[in-house]
Amino acid sequence: MTRLLHISDLHFGAVDDRLIQPLLDLAASQRPDAVIVSGDLTQRARPSQFSAARAYLARFSGPVLVVPGNHDMPLYNLPVRLAAPLARYRKAFGAGVEPSLTLPDAVIQGVNTSDPFVWKAGRLRRSSVARLTAAFAGAPAEAHRIAVMHHAPVPAADGTPADIAEPAKALADLAATGAQVVLSGHTHMPHAGFAETAAGVLFLQVGTAISTRLKTDANDVAVIDLAPGLVTRTSWIARGGGVFEPSFLLRFRQGSAGWQQSAD
Ligand SMILES: [Fe+2]
């Protein structure tokens, strides 16, 4: 079995300091094989915010896979945003904005969906689709094929439409890459679901891990256990800056018709 800790939307610059240690404690107790961070490391893409985010992620043991979100590009400094949108992000997290990670039960490929021209909404680029296709084509048959992208091409938990360009095309493109699980953030609401046109793809979103920018009544992260043909996702929530506690558990089995939520 492989265990992931999925966190997102940390927003350094708007962090609830009370949650800094509880999230580290959760990671220490759950002992994930990797920590997956699906974007929005910072609030305003300032160098000091990236430094704080990098220093914080260095406190987790094991591999940490990070992709950028829209907040990791400057919002107001248009010349910088258009000329070098992720320069500050790259300085903190390395030149590659689409990293990959291979674990015993999973091949994980990061995708950069940030779009400097529109800032808030995302975009699934053709180059990212090609990278996903190549990563998944070479994966062992039993391995879960997992894409990590800040913006998901499915509606949020409250029905807000997907905040990505051409969502129907993004869905079809993702399904064609062989992706089986897509981990995202952006909406600040936890959600798990499917799309009719991409039955083989399971979409798992988490809210904001440690920021004050809440859209629900709690911060949340997810512990995801991967076994062949089975994904078990436990949502962990922290209310009022307290410790993270297990909330709901969802189990998904992979069948010939795609993913099915399972009661046992
Ligand atoms: Fe965010």
Side-chain angles (χ1 to χ4, degrees):
M1 192 190 77
T2 294
R3 170 167 283 184
L4 307 177
L5 174 60
H6 178 200
I7 66 178
S8 198
D9 298 77
L10 282 67
H11 288 283
F12 274 85
V15 159
D16 183 340
D17 290 329
R18 298 172 298 177
L19 292 170
I20 290 277
Q21 190 58 45
L23 183 56
L24 290 165
D25 293 344
L26 175 67
S29 71
Q30 294 299 303
R31 301 168 60 90
D33 297 288
V35 178
I36 308 297
V37 190
S38 51
D40 279 4
L41 286 301
T42 68
Q43 176 61 12
R44 282 288 164 249
R46 299 209 169 102
S48 60
Q49 295 170 353
F50 280 118
S51 299
R54 187 176 65 172
Y56 183 59
L57 293 178
R59 296 171 69 187
F60 290 81
S61 57
V64 178
L65 183 140
V66 181
V67 298
N70 51 296
H71 276 263
D72 300 319
M73 303 178 289
L75 172 59
Y76 302 114
N77 189 336
L78 205 60
V80 172
R81 195 215 299 172
L82 295 181
L86 291 172
R88 294 167 180 173
Y89 174 93
R90 289 176 197 270
K91 217 171 162 189
F93 295 108
V97 295
E98 298 196 326
S100 63
L101 183 62
T102 300
L103 296 170
D105 291 312
V107 170
I108 305 172
Q109 178 64 57
V111 172
N112 166 33
T113 50
S114 66
D115 182 350
F117 295 100
V118 296
W119 190 76
K120 184 170 175 286
R123 178 158 68 104
L124 180 59
R125 294 169 174 80
R126 228 185 303 176
S127 58
S128 304
V129 172
R131 197 188 297 271
L132 287 166
T133 303
F136 298 149
E142 292 279 280
H144 288 278
R145 286 143 168 85
I146 301 178
V148 182
M149 49 199 278
H150 182 65
H151 304 81
V154 288
D158 67 351
T160 306
D163 198 17
I164 193 166
E166 299 181 88
K169 181 173 187 312
L171 270 178
D173 285 350
L174 273 174
T177 68
Q180 295 165 325
V181 181
V182 175
L183 304 181
S184 302
H186 188 59
T187 63
H188 293 208
M189 286 176 266
H191 190 45
F194 315 100
E196 254 175 53
T197 54
V201 192
L202 173 60
F203 293 93
L204 301 177
Q205 288 167 264
V206 285
T208 172
I210 55 170
S211 90
T212 57
R213 297 171 56 86
L214 289 176
K215 293 240 177 79
T216 65
D217 62 351
N219 290 87
D220 72 277
V221 300
V223 172
I224 299 171
D225 289 326
L226 305 167
L230 179 67
V231 171
T232 307
R233 176 197 193 272
T234 308
S235 183
W236 289 73
I237 64 169
R239 281 206 173 86
V243 296
F244 283 88
E245 292 173 334
S247 178
F248 57 92
L249 180 147
L250 299 172
R251 204 167 264 135
F252 300 94
R253 286 185 195 283
Q254 209 169 19
S256 53
W259 289 98
Q260 294 268 312
Q261 195 168 335
S262 160
D264 57 1

